[in-house]
Amino acid sequence: MERVYLDLKARILSGAYPPGTRLEAAQLAKSLAASATPVRDALYRLSGERIIESWHQEGFRQPLLNEADLVELYWWTGALLSLALKGRTPRPDLPGGLISLANHQAYPEGLDGLFRTIAIGSSNGELRASIINCVERSMTIRTLEARVDGSANDALTAMADDYRFGRWSALRSKITRFHRRRAAYAGRVAAEIRRRSEPLDNIRRI
């Protein structure tokens, strides 16, 4: 059951299914080499994590986020990260910490690494879990962010440098500005999401 959950989650977070795709347990079971029961359990679990969504109480689908959804997600992520950095002291010994963070180049992977590293450094388990959930729910839109905002990667580099040198106050300010800019571009990202999807009256089934 855990293997099915992890495999399905990895597929979803990698963007394997276009936005709006209906996720059918029977079809997924074939591709995952599993019975339908653990697949349904995984779908319910992922729905509870808001990685996927229940669709009209008739099944599950890949989220089709609109501008308002994105603005709320950006605001919440920024608030959680800022809270996690309060009172922070440098911890270069953290798994995936300062040295590993410097090795990331691409925007999606680099942002994922930075935000997860901030989460890991928090002593509050609820805060860690909430940040990581936001990171996972945002994974499918990171490439779109970089596409519509040419300065996104520069912002990541600046935030990573602040983390690397323990400039926590500066990092909190940059994270706030970063998510404000993400919210300002939310409409354009939502338009890119819509282009990747099919019309809702003809949702692709997986």
Side-chain angles (χ1 to χ4, degrees), residues 3-205:
R3 191 271 301 175
V4 170
Y5 162 75
L6 292 174
D7 284 355
L8 181 55
K9 185 175 185 177
R11 291 187 186 190
I12 290 169
L13 295 183
S14 72
Y17 309 124
T21 298
R22 183 177 293 180
L23 303 169
E24 302 278 7
Q27 295 298 322
L28 289 169
K30 295 178 182 179
S31 63
L32 291 166
S35 65
T37 298
V39 174
R40 288 194 196 95
D41 289 341
L43 288 169
Y44 278 112
R45 184 172 171 183
L46 291 166
S47 177
E49 296 173 5
R50 302 184 68 190
I51 302 296
I52 60 174
E53 59 186 25
S54 297
W55 188 56
H56 300 314
Q57 299 181 344
E58 296 178 357
F60 305 91
R61 74 174 184 182
Q62 185 78 347
L64 191 63
L65 300 174
N66 59 34
E67 182 176 0
D69 296 328
L70 291 172
V71 169
E72 291 180 353
L73 180 57
Y74 290 139
W75 179 89
W76 182 233
T77 304
L80 291 172
L81 289 166
S82 182
L83 185 60
L85 286 166
K86 283 187 175 180
R88 178 66 61 90
T89 56
R91 289 282 306 280
D93 58 316
L94 287 173
L98 304 184
I99 296 175
S100 297
L101 185 61
N103 295 328
H104 290 295
Q105 298 297 326
Y107 172 81
E109 292 80 5
L111 203 62
D112 178 280
L114 174 62
F115 290 171
R116 283 181 185 272
T117 301
I118 293 172
I120 292 169
S122 173
S123 61
N124 187 308
E126 291 294 331
L127 190 53
R128 287 197 302 271
S130 296
I131 292 172
I132 289 173
N133 178 254
C134 286
V135 169
E136 291 179 340
R137 290 169 58 203
S138 302
M139 285 179 68
T140 58
I141 61 175
R142 294 306 187 194
T143 299
L144 304 180
E145 291 173 3
R147 183 182 302 169
V148 303
D149 181 8
S151 68
N153 198 63
D154 291 338
L156 166 61
T157 300
M159 290 188 293
D161 285 343
D162 280 344
Y163 188 98
R164 195 170 298 117
F165 294 106
R167 299 189 292 250
W168 309 126
S169 179
L171 177 55
R172 288 181 66 197
S173 296
K174 285 185 176 67
I175 283 175
T176 298
R177 290 198 300 272
F178 174 81
H179 285 93
R180 284 176 180 167
R181 188 171 179 86
R182 296 280 60 75
Y185 277 82
R188 294 175 62 181
V189 173
E192 291 293 326
I193 292 173
R194 178 67 64 172
R195 288 191 191 97
R196 290 192 61 234
S197 67
E198 296 182 10
L200 291 182
D201 60 355
N202 186 30
I203 293 179
R204 177 184 174 193
R205 293 173 180 266

